[in-house]
Amino acid sequence: MQIAIMGAGAVGSYYGALLARAGHAVTLIGRAAHVEAIQSNGLTLETSSGRETLRVTASQEIDALKDAELVLFCVKSTDTETAGALMASVLSDTAVVLSLQNGVDNADRLAEVLDREVVPVVVYAAVAMPGPGHVRHHGGGELALGASTVSASLVRLFQDAGMAATTADDVTGMLWTKLVINCAWNAVSAITRQPYGALMAIDGLREMVMTVTGECRAVAQACGVVLPEDLEHSTLMIAETMAGQRSSMAQDLARKRQGEIEHLNGFIVRKAKVHDIDVPVNHSLLVLVRALEQGHRNVDIACR
Ligand SMILES: NC(=O)C1=CN([C@@H]2O[C@H](COP(=O)(O)OP(=O)(O)OC[C@H]3O[C@@H](n4cnc5c(N)ncnc54)[C@H](OP(=O)(O)O)[C@@H]3O)[C@@H](O)[C@H]2O)C=CC1
Ligand SMILES: CC(C)(CO)C(=O)C(=O)O
């Protein structure tokens, strides 16, 4: 199948590599350094079983996705509208679009820009980009696809490519569940620059993660979203299953790039306000990450 990845960062390059390995014609649309590295030396995929280099097409030009039958949309939540608008002008009428993003509203926001159905996908992977042309897997990888007429056949396509994929009966609940996990871990990993395993060893961290989870649970309930009973357990398990991973937000801030805080803890804080619920720890994490991002913009202010 002709598959395009819109936003070839960690997630896009990881799933693009798996699909290319399975024999699909994969085109990655990304930024100059990554695209040039892939064009020169291929895409290096590093997992616990070793390294392999895959030959994939990579381009900085949006036109490169015009023949795609399937598009995996993998930009950050902050870029959904701009990347979607670029895609809108070249996408074929029959192309199927999946949103592989954190946050709960990206598929809807993208569907509005594209004026077509976008299938939300919950992504349970821990991946990072150590450098251009190189993607590293730190754990997980399961995909849960929202319901659509094509979801069952895409699940089979992903499974045939060796990926763990399912259709979600309640994708909204699953997106919110993932949101809570991201609210609990992403900002704290970004602020401290620590991976989850190391964070868990810090006295008081576990309680803080549980407090954030509890605040999010109250907001979800007020929004009519049913979260699984074992959510607290799943949130804590991240420190074991993805111990070596720094959050995608930590990766953004390390690159002095804006992270997704407004779409994660910021989203919870906004919803909490509507429902008059106190979420002090989510609010503190939001403000701290905003301050860090502002610090990055003011790089020329010397510390005295
Ligand atoms: N990393 C992880 O382990 C996980 C991430 N996620 C989620 O998946 C989504 C993607 O995350 P991740 O892969 O980490 O993000 P990355 O920032 O690594 O990848 C996104 C890439 O898309 C590029 N991009 C943005 N706009 C365009 C454009 N118009 N044209 C070409 N390239 C573009 C970005 O470039 P630039 O930075 O220069 O704008 C970046 O290289 C996020 O919602 C994240 O929360 C979900 C599960 C796990
Ligand atoms: C699952 C997790 C927490 C993995 O790092 C993630 O989704 C992210 O970093 O954004």
Side-chain angles (χ1 to χ4, degrees):
M1 191 182 232
Q2 297 271 359
I3 302 176
I5 309 291
M6 180 61 194
V11 166
S13 301
Y14 175 65
Y15 290 107
L18 298 186
L19 291 164
R21 185 165 67 184
H24 294 287
V26 173
T27 300
L28 302 182
I29 317 273
R31 300 300 192 194
H34 190 47
V35 166
E36 284 160 15
I38 294 171
Q39 286 169 344
S40 305
N41 305 312
L43 173 64
T44 299
L45 170 63
E46 187 183 341
T47 67
S48 55
S49 12
R51 276 174 181 244
E52 63 185 300
T53 300
L54 296 139
R55 285 279 153 201
V56 293
T57 305
S59 176
Q60 294 179 66
E61 303 301 328
I62 199 71
D63 275 0
L65 61 67
K66 71 178 183 340
D67 296 326
E69 299 164 88
L70 173 65
V71 178
L72 309 192
F73 189 76
C74 305
V75 301
K76 287 275 160 58
S77 307
T78 43
D79 295 326
T80 294
E81 277 79 11
T82 44
L86 278 175
M87 246 169 59
S89 55
V90 288
L91 209 54
S92 92
D93 288 345
T94 52
V96 172
V97 182
L98 305 186
S99 153
L100 275 70
Q101 298 169 286
N102 284 330
V104 296
D105 60 2
N106 277 297
D108 290 341
R109 287 164 49 212
L110 181 59
E112 205 167 315
V113 176
L114 296 178
D115 195 21
R116 72 169 73 200
E117 183 182 30
V118 174
V119 181
V121 181
V122 191
V123 182
Y124 279 99
V127 283
M129 299 264 306
H134 182 183
V135 60
R136 183 180 289 152
H137 177 251
H138 284 282
E142 303 83 7
L143 298 177
L145 279 69
S148 79
T149 50
V150 290
S151 296
S153 64
L154 288 175
V155 163
R156 276 195 300 279
L157 180 144
F158 291 143
Q159 289 173 344
D160 289 346
M163 296 152 58
T166 51
T167 43
D169 292 335
D170 171 20
V171 79
T172 303
M174 287 190 78
L175 286 168
W176 271 80
T177 300
K178 183 71 198 294
L179 172 72
V180 178
I181 291 173
N182 290 131
C183 287
W185 287 108
N186 285 32
V188 73
S189 172
I191 294 163
T192 62
R193 305 179 185 187
Q194 299 273 329
Y196 310 132
L199 283 170
M200 200 58 173
I202 294 168
D203 191 19
L205 194 282
R206 180 192 170 97
E207 289 74 14
M208 186 180 142
V209 163
M210 286 299 89
T211 304
V212 176
T213 307
E215 290 179 5
C216 294
R217 193 184 261 293
V219 172
Q221 199 171 354
C223 293
V225 176
V226 180
L227 293 174
E229 277 176 19
D230 65 354
L231 172 65
E232 284 70 13
H233 174 72
S234 322
T235 306
L236 291 173
M237 281 307 288
I238 291 289
E240 286 180 32
T241 55
M242 300 178 176
Q245 169 86 350
R246 289 176 176 80
S247 68
S248 52
M249 193 184 294
Q251 297 169 44
D252 284 330
L253 267 62
R255 296 199 300 258
K256 303 207 182 316
R257 193 185 180 286
Q258 194 192 343
E260 291 178 304
I261 193 74
E262 303 294 340
H263 300 272
L264 304 177
N265 307 78
F267 177 87
I268 290 292
V269 168
R270 290 193 300 278
K271 290 287 177 196
K273 201 167 176 188
V274 171
H275 295 283
D276 203 15
I277 296 170
D278 281 341
V279 289
V281 185
N282 274 281
H283 187 261
S284 300
L285 291 170
L286 169 65
V287 172
L288 285 170
V289 173
R290 280 181 182 161
L292 273 174
E293 290 178 346
Q294 176 176 302
H296 292 161
R297 287 193 292 274
N298 295 338
V299 278
D300 48 350
I301 299 174
C303 287
R304 294 170 202 277

